[in-house]
Amino acid sequence: MGLLINIDNGGTFTDVCVMDKEQVIRAKTLTTPFDLTKCFTEVLKAASKEKYGQENLQRILGETEYIRYSTTSGTNSIVQKKGPRLGLILNDDVDRSFLLEGKEEKEMFAAIVGDRVVGISVNDEQSLLETQVVEVVNDLLSKGATRLVVSLSAPSMVEDEKKVRNIILNKYPRHLLGAVPVLFSHEMVEDYDDIKRTWGALINSFLHPGMERFLYNAENVLREYRAKNPLLIFHNDGNSARVAKTNAIKTYGSGPRGGMEGTKALAKHYNIPTLLTLDIGGTTSDIGLVKNDNILEDLYGEVEGIPTSFRLSDLISVGAGGSSIIRVENGRVVVGPESVGAAPGPACFGRGGQQPTITDAYLLMGILDSKSYFGGSMMLDQSRASAAIEGKIAEELGVSLEESLLSMEKAYEQKIAEGLSIYQENEGKSALLAFGGAGPMSACGVAREAGIEEVIIPRLAAVFSAYGISFSDIAHEYQISLKERKPEIIQEKVNQLKTRAERDMFAEGFTLAECKIDVSIGVVSNGELKHIDIADADELFKEDKAYDDIQVYLKVVKPIAHAKLQTNVKLEEEKPELVRQQRILLPSGEWQEVPVYNFENMAIGSCGVGPALIEDEYFTCRVLDGWTFRVNENSDIFMKDERSNPNEN
């Protein structure tokens, strides 16, 4: 087995995690939003330098078995609403207003579709229908549409869309230059809810050209260096598939899903029934939940508040991150949601940023070291951080610099803790897994605000989403709504899905005999999905109970190698080697010299008490006063608030 490379392309940094048997290599580079192929190539070069001591793209790709990749490109396109102009074809008796129920839908529709909506009467005689189709397509093209979506009404939408498809393919052959790309909604998902299905098709079409252009460019890089296998794209359902078998909408939110897959693996390995996740990046803190080895998901996942037919991780995104702007409003310290991003970045980066951020505050509090930040490759400027905070926080509040720093930290931790409380209300006591570049630094403070007593910092916290991708397999999932509860209809749907699975896995390079196939009946009631084994479907036929939806599900999986975790062992306590003492500002307002440990040099079994700092090349873990820490057999850091448990050892 060759190398396994996992890449997570974030808004600020692009991370890579390389698995070489038991060895794990990681690297980070700045994301280049103007050309994502550049940071894709650069992070592979950085990984090769870490592995071989010098950049050697040819060698690392030649030794690689699979590359699994996720990107925020689709998410950014949706947020910025920058993309192609779409044209939408509906039934002529349907008013577009059914797609415009809320503010989010209205804004998105205006941005990506606008007035480019037409209707057709599919029941017309064939020659009249052909004339209609040509007229509406030409009308939409004349209005500036560059891609078309055909979404006709249930229950006959499959048959009706196929009629229109045949006409369009005949009148506008794909082999001709300028042939307009058209998506037929049933080809995405056979869902008889017109709203969810139509929005899914629109969002997919909106994301498609940008994603296609970049991902095929990235694949060309791999071809140039003779990579063994095609690039695998990590999906927001936890599966991976090659570029040619990936729907654009499946890339939306795929990065955070990587972190959730890693969390799921750790929760199962450590037998933790309920594990909250906190991924703190530059702009947001993403909060999720793994319960009983399952990732909490939305059955009908939302994209910017718009429901679709696809499952998505149920994540709460809080507008507070390492680069979030902190300001004073009406005498109160307010955090985000605006962010300075990577450019110009926090004031201490010295790239022109002048707005205060928590990164500036942590530098002045002594928690970040200006010389060792980001492995010593990025010097931080204390004078610029001080000027930004004194001018925009301390003077506005009428307090000292130290008091303003503590106020900033308090507001930051409280805002993130409020996000965690949404899950805590229903789940009760749970542990917190904190990762991302800024997660380990704030984890204890946020946990204390939220009343959480145990925090885990994974060994690969700074690249944890990339690491989480390594637990995915090559897989595809399918679903078809069931209109009739008849055995022969179910079997017909299963056969249809197996045909699609066989075709898709053949394109991946595998036969169905090499894969695992799971088939089930999904019944939806009150927004909850329950899976019934196909062998027990007879019980469904006997019931008169009404369901919101009944669907046939099929998942086909070709397992590939995953990251390995060490089994639990009894460890001897080790006292970590002190690197230096560092003067930091405590929450009490006092300055104190605290021990600093180098994470790379800490042996398994290392333990200690706070206040302390644990420095990694890419993150700083802050251990608060009253907390203990220990490094386990996987080099994950387990921290506990002992002040909440005075009788425990």
Side-chain angles (χ1 to χ4, degrees):
M1 176 61 69
L3 303 178
L4 300 170
I5 297 181
N6 310 286
I7 300 174
D8 176 38
N9 166 230
T12 304
F13 291 103
T14 295
D15 305 337
V16 64
C17 200
V18 182
M19 313 291 178
D20 183 9
K21 299 182 178 66
E22 302 302 318
Q23 183 186 23
V24 179
I25 299 159
R26 60 187 181 150
K28 297 172 81 78
T29 61
L30 286 171
T31 293
T32 51
F34 56 88
D35 180 6
L36 293 178
T37 309
K38 179 175 175 58
C39 55
F40 174 80
T41 305
E42 290 301 315
V43 83
L44 286 170
K45 289 180 180 178
S48 69
K49 188 173 182 179
E50 288 291 325
K51 178 161 179 58
Y52 308 122
Q54 60 182 8
E55 288 184 7
N56 194 330
L57 199 53
Q58 182 82 51
R59 181 178 176 186
I60 196 168
L61 290 178
E63 295 178 357
T64 296
E65 192 74 19
Y66 290 109
I67 298 180
R68 289 171 277 202
Y69 176 84
S70 74
T71 176
T72 62
S73 176
T75 307
N76 295 339
S77 296
I78 290 291
V79 171
Q80 297 168 9
K81 298 180 176 62
K82 293 181 179 179
R85 296 182 297 275
L86 304 182
L88 176 61
I89 300 176
L90 302 170
N91 290 82
D92 63 351
D93 58 349
V94 172
D95 190 326
R96 75 185 73 179
S97 61
F98 82 101
L99 295 169
L100 310 176
E101 292 187 348
K103 179 184 176 184
E104 294 86 358
E105 288 94 331
K106 290 175 182 176
E107 291 180 351
M108 186 66 70
F109 196 87
I112 69 178
V113 180
D115 64 349
R116 297 179 294 275
V117 186
V118 294
I120 58 173
S121 177
V122 290
N123 294 321
D124 281 355
E125 184 267 333
Q126 181 68 17
S127 62
L128 291 177
L129 180 57
E130 290 180 2
T131 300
Q132 268 196 89
V133 170
V134 171
E135 287 176 349
V136 298
V137 169
N138 289 343
D139 180 38
L140 291 173
L141 296 179
S142 69
K143 290 179 179 178
T146 57
R147 304 184 74 85
L148 304 183
V149 172
V150 178
S151 185
L152 303 181
S153 302
S156 59
M157 53 99 178
V158 175
E159 295 78 10
D160 291 343
E161 288 185 6
K162 286 181 178 179
K163 271 199 258 182
V164 176
R165 182 182 62 184
N166 292 336
I167 294 171
I168 289 179
L169 290 178
N170 183 48
K171 300 295 184 181
Y172 302 89
R174 291 179 177 175
H175 66 275
L176 295 180
L177 292 174
V180 60
V182 187
L183 174 65
F184 299 88
S185 68
H186 78 276
E187 294 179 332
M188 285 286 298
V189 59
E190 199 169 312
D191 182 351
Y192 289 89
D193 183 304
D194 292 341
I195 296 175
K196 299 196 307 293
R197 189 189 69 256
T198 302
W199 269 116
L202 286 171
I203 291 169
N204 187 81
S205 291
F206 183 72
L207 295 176
H208 185 99
M211 294 301 304
E212 180 182 52
R213 185 166 51 250
F214 156 59
L215 292 176
Y216 276 111
N217 284 342
E219 250 195 349
N220 286 336
V221 172
L222 302 186
R223 289 194 188 98
E224 181 182 346
Y225 288 93
R226 304 291 192 274
K228 290 182 182 178
N229 289 308
L231 177 66
L232 295 176
I233 308 305
F234 179 70
H235 295 174
N236 51 27
D237 57 11
N239 302 320
S240 292
R242 62 180 299 176
V243 176
K245 304 306 297 183
T246 295
N247 291 326
I249 197 171
K250 288 291 188 180
T251 68
Y252 178 86
S254 60
R257 179 66 185 229
M260 296 305 297
E261 290 294 327
T263 303
K264 176 182 173 181
L266 292 188
K268 185 174 182 179
H269 185 75
Y270 293 133
N271 195 28
I272 302 174
T274 305
L275 188 55
L276 283 164
T277 66
L278 177 59
D279 178 5
I280 305 183
T283 302
T284 62
S285 293
D286 293 323
I287 297 165
L289 176 68
V290 171
K291 185 176 181 179
N292 299 327
D293 300 336
N294 291 310
I295 296 170
L296 187 64
E297 294 181 317
D298 282 329
L299 179 58
Y300 304 118
E302 295 186 348
V303 175
E304 290 297 296
I306 301 170
T308 71
S309 303
F310 303 94
R311 289 182 296 109
L312 291 173
S313 299
D314 185 6
L315 294 174
I316 297 167
S317 189
V318 178
S323 296
S324 295
I325 296 171
I326 302 180
R327 61 194 182 281
V328 175
E329 287 184 1
N330 301 320
R332 292 178 56 251
V333 177
V334 177
V335 181
E338 297 82 5
S339 171
V340 293
C348 62
F349 280 14
R351 295 176 176 173
Q354 298 180 355
Q355 301 295 332
T357 69
I358 197 66
T359 303
D360 298 302
Y362 280 146
L363 174 63
L364 297 181
M365 293 170 70
I367 297 164
L368 289 176
D369 180 61
S370 62
K371 296 179 181 178
S372 61
Y373 183 76
F374 209 66
S377 62
M378 182 185 290
M379 291 289 290
L380 301 181
D381 190 324
Q382 289 185 318
S383 62
R384 291 178 186 270
S386 180
I389 294 174
E390 285 183 335
K392 292 184 170 63
I393 305 294
E395 290 180 11
E396 291 291 326
L397 292 175
V399 300
S400 68
L401 177 62
E402 285 82 2
E403 289 174 304
S404 66
L405 294 174
L406 294 174
S407 295
M408 291 171 68
E409 181 185 39
K410 187 76 171 176
Y412 179 78
E413 291 175 346
Q414 285 180 339
K415 183 167 184 177
I416 299 173
E418 287 170 5
L420 288 170
S421 68
I422 296 173
Y423 285 145
Q424 287 177 280
E425 290 174 2
N426 298 322
E427 301 305 329
K429 186 174 181 180
S430 57
L432 177 67
L433 183 79
F435 52 93
M441 191 160 46
S442 305
C444 285
V446 169
R448 183 165 286 177
E449 285 288 340
I452 296 172
E453 300 168 1
E454 185 175 14
V455 171
I456 305 169
I457 307 298
R459 171 176 58 119
L460 298 166
V463 295
F464 192 70
S465 289
Y467 174 70
I469 293 170
S470 70
F471 292 97
S472 71
D473 292 309
I474 299 174
H476 291 276
E477 295 184 45
Y478 313 91
Q479 65 194 67
I480 296 181
S481 290
L482 196 63
K483 292 186 287 184
E484 298 179 81
R485 305 184 194 182
K486 296 180 179 179
E488 62 271 20
I489 298 296
I490 289 182
Q491 190 57 52
E492 177 188 334
K493 298 298 184 184
V494 169
N495 292 340
Q496 288 178 20
L497 295 184
K498 283 186 176 179
T499 299
R500 291 177 60 186
E502 183 175 29
R503 179 189 63 203
D504 288 341
M505 294 312 290
F506 178 78
E508 300 282 4
F510 307 104
T511 65
L512 285 188
E514 300 174 85
C515 303
K516 177 184 176 183
I517 300 177
D518 289 323
V519 182
S520 64
I521 304 295
V523 293
V524 181
S525 181
N526 297 322
E528 297 289 328
L529 171 66
K530 178 184 177 182
H531 281 280
I532 300 173
D533 190 278
I534 197 76
D536 299 325
D538 287 347
E539 294 300 316
L540 188 66
F541 308 138
K542 299 175 184 177
E543 296 181 6
D544 293 325
K545 182 177 178 181
Y547 293 101
D548 299 333
D549 195 10
I550 302 176
Q551 300 173 332
V552 179
Y553 278 83
L554 185 146
K555 182 174 182 179
V556 57
V557 180
K558 173 61 177 74
I560 57 178
H562 295 175
K564 301 294 184 184
L565 292 166
Q566 297 297 320
T567 54
N568 297 345
V569 296
K570 184 175 177 61
L571 299 174
E572 296 295 329
E573 290 189 358
E574 296 275 348
K575 185 176 181 180
E577 182 180 345
L578 180 69
V579 175
R580 64 178 185 278
Q581 294 282 126
Q582 191 157 303
R583 188 168 176 264
I584 70 169
L585 180 63
L586 300 179
S588 63
E590 300 176 356
W591 288 90
Q592 180 178 332
E593 295 280 335
V594 303
V596 179
Y597 306 108
N598 183 291
F599 187 39
E600 290 294 313
N601 296 333
M602 292 174 72
I604 59 174
S606 294
C607 57
V609 299
L613 297 174
I614 301 173
E615 284 189 349
D616 177 76
E617 183 177 2
Y618 297 122
F619 70 79
T620 297
C621 176
R622 184 185 185 190
V623 186
L624 287 180
D625 182 32
W627 287 69
T628 59
F629 70 86
R630 65 180 178 87
V631 179
N632 77 350
E633 62 278 0
N634 289 298
S635 292
D636 296 328
I637 305 171
F638 278 67
M639 300 190 290
K640 195 166 188 178
D641 188 352
E642 299 293 351
R643 296 199 307 187
S644 302
N645 303 277
N647 297 321
E648 292 184 21
N649 293 326

